[in-house]
Amino acid sequence: MNNPLDFTGKVALVTGAASGMGLATATAFAEAGASVVLADFKKEAVEAAARKLDAGGHEVIALPCDVSDDAQVAAMVDRTVAEFGRLDAAFNNAGVMAHIAPTADSTREDWDRVIGINLRGVWSCMKHELRHLARQGGAIVNNASVGALTGNPGIGAYIASKHGVVGLTRTAALEYIGQGIRVNAVNPGLIDTAVARDVVDGDEQAYANIAKNVPIGRAGRPEEIASAVLWLCSPAASYIVGQALTVDGGMTVP
């Protein structure tokens, strides 16, 4: 029986790939046989991550990219196809946390920064990815958040951006399923990343307390999100269209 999680001969693109969920997913794609493009605005970090995977015998390249810049996104996707000849799967993961402030005290600058990366960046990535995926079909997974399911005081721009990602995912899913392209999202809960610690402004005790109160008793690992992304991109999830898969250790169970 064929392994549905075997990506040999496939090409995957991962944004925000220098660390955290992006790096874990890029690594998982590479270990599953895919050729992988790691993209991140942190040029040195993403190049170091790619060198490590290359040293392990994987076919990867690193590309610097600020997803809030449409021209950079277009160049990233074009370079992916020029390098590997095709695009089969994409994980649009790049994102930032809002500066913590009540809505009336938040700034236009922070709003534009968060929306520009978290929401417009996902739109821009999909815009350019979809044109190439239409050649042979494939899958896109966008990284949303459990913040797409509720409100959270103090990070309004982040919450709005993630609600937007889910709405954009559902719309694109309906637009492109007829072309053999499945578009879905993941809603990570508390995952052990630097961005998660930004929510509590780096307060490790506060972070530990939140993690302890997750029903499963801990924060999630980036690799657990990577597993969900690879499954959503695989033939094993061939009937999953326009969904936002929540991976949160039980945080949002009513």
Side-chain angles (χ1 to χ4, degrees):
M1 180 180 294
N2 292 332
N3 177 7
L5 297 180
D6 181 359
F7 286 85
T8 301
K10 304 296 185 181
V11 177
L13 168 62
V14 180
T15 67
S19 62
M21 291 178 277
L23 177 55
T25 302
T27 300
F29 270 125
E31 291 177 346
S35 301
V36 185
V37 174
L38 291 81
D40 200 291
F41 81 102
K42 298 177 181 176
K43 182 176 184 293
E44 292 183 1
V46 76
E47 287 177 348
R51 283 196 298 272
K52 185 174 181 180
L53 287 171
D54 181 72
H58 302 296
E59 189 172 36
V60 302
I61 61 170
L63 296 178
C65 182
D66 175 355
V67 298
S68 69
D69 184 327
D70 195 56
Q72 290 189 41
V73 172
M76 170 188 71
V77 178
D78 287 347
R79 173 70 189 284
T80 297
V81 176
E83 185 75 23
F84 294 121
R86 58 189 290 152
L87 177 63
D88 299 281
F91 180 38
N92 297 320
N93 164 71
V96 293
M97 179 54 63
H99 295 311
I100 299 172
T103 299
D105 298 326
S106 60
T107 67
R108 172 63 183 270
E109 179 183 30
D110 196 47
W111 173 270
D112 288 346
R113 177 183 70 93
V114 174
I115 296 297
I117 295 170
N118 291 9
L119 181 53
R120 195 175 72 240
V122 168
W123 165 81
S124 184
C125 286
M126 285 207 298
K127 172 185 173 71
H128 296 287
E129 292 159 356
L130 286 163
R131 294 169 177 170
H132 291 286
L133 286 167
R135 297 176 180 178
Q136 75 282 312
I140 291 173
V141 178
N142 297 319
N143 200 354
S145 166
V146 291
L149 308 176
T150 184
N152 196 324
I155 53 171
Y158 178 83
I159 296 297
S161 72
K162 295 304 185 178
H163 275 71
V165 166
V166 172
L168 186 60
T169 295
R170 290 170 174 162
T171 298
L174 294 175
E175 291 171 338
Y176 289 94
I177 188 57
Q179 297 181 42
I181 304 169
R182 292 184 305 103
V183 184
N184 292 287
V186 287
N187 288 332
L190 182 69
I191 307 299
D192 189 10
T193 65
V195 172
R197 286 173 167 79
D198 286 345
V199 178
V200 292
D201 203 24
D203 185 333
E204 286 296 327
Q205 186 57 55
Y207 178 82
N209 290 340
I210 295 171
K212 183 175 62 176
N213 288 323
V214 175
I216 204 171
R218 61 173 175 83
R221 297 183 295 273
E223 292 77 12
E224 290 172 310
I225 301 303
S227 294
V229 173
L230 262 67
W231 179 74
L232 285 170
C233 289
S234 78
S238 57
Y239 206 55
I240 310 297
V241 177
Q243 300 302 306
L245 177 63
T246 298
V247 187
D248 70 350
M251 282 179 67
T252 57
V253 174

